[in-house]
Amino acid sequence: SSLRFIGPRELGRVPLFLQFIFAEIGLDLVRMAAIHTPNSLATALGIIAAFMIGDFATKVGLLIPEVVVYMAIAAVGTFATPSYEFGMAVRLARLLLLLLGGFGGVIGLVVGMFLLLVRLMTTKSFNVPYLWPLLPFDGAALLDILLRQPVPMKRFRPRALQPQDPDRRPPQKPV
């Protein structure tokens, strides 16, 4: 199979589920240390600590290299999220899926992903579905989001907001 490279070759001495839990705890410790360090040193400290802890954990057999790589990707994804609150929500969802997958196996992971999808499908923000324009599908709005124009060039307000005046431009004054 072409996705065989994703899974670990050797599982190591510690169960894979516990390795991910330990890696999450280690990531939180590095994050907390970076928060409580002066700004000029925080980035360097976080990077050096992550490298040293990851290297040490793999050498003593606590973690396998694949777990370190997957957690590094998850950490970069958390830090790349523009909103802190959204990053924490993604992190909580990741922990929930990790726990469901660890205790329930593939069935637990599938059930967790299904519940997460249902939650996203039923959530509304300002009375607009959270997954709009995917659900309900609106092709023109999706294209407008993917190929974003500068706001001053946009002529119409989004239809999902049901604006009283869909035209953004002010009415022309008679001359």
Side-chain angles (χ1 to χ4, degrees), residues 59-157:
K59 284 185 180 174
V60 298
L62 182 63
L63 303 177
I64 58 174
E66 287 89 348
V67 169
V68 174
V69 169
Y70 296 148
M71 288 309 299
I73 292 169
V76 168
T78 300
F79 291 128
T81 306
S83 165
Y84 176 78
E85 291 82 9
F86 184 64
M88 290 299 107
V90 168
R91 194 165 148 240
L92 284 174
R94 187 178 73 230
L95 281 172
L96 179 69
L97 290 174
L98 177 64
L99 291 173
L100 287 172
F103 291 121
V106 174
I107 303 287
L109 183 64
V110 169
V111 166
M113 291 183 77
F114 176 75
L115 291 174
L116 183 63
L117 183 63
V118 167
R119 176 69 178 159
L120 290 175
M121 288 169 45
T122 58
T123 299
K124 288 187 174 188
S125 176
F126 298 109
N127 210 26
V128 176
Y130 189 73
L131 293 179
W132 179 84
L134 292 175
L135 295 172
F137 186 74
D138 185 346
L142 182 62
L143 187 64
D144 189 43
I145 288 173
L146 294 176
L147 303 174
R148 181 74 66 180
Q149 293 178 350
V151 173
M153 293 181 65
K154 288 182 168 278
R155 177 164 175 152
F156 297 104
R157 294 182 175 92

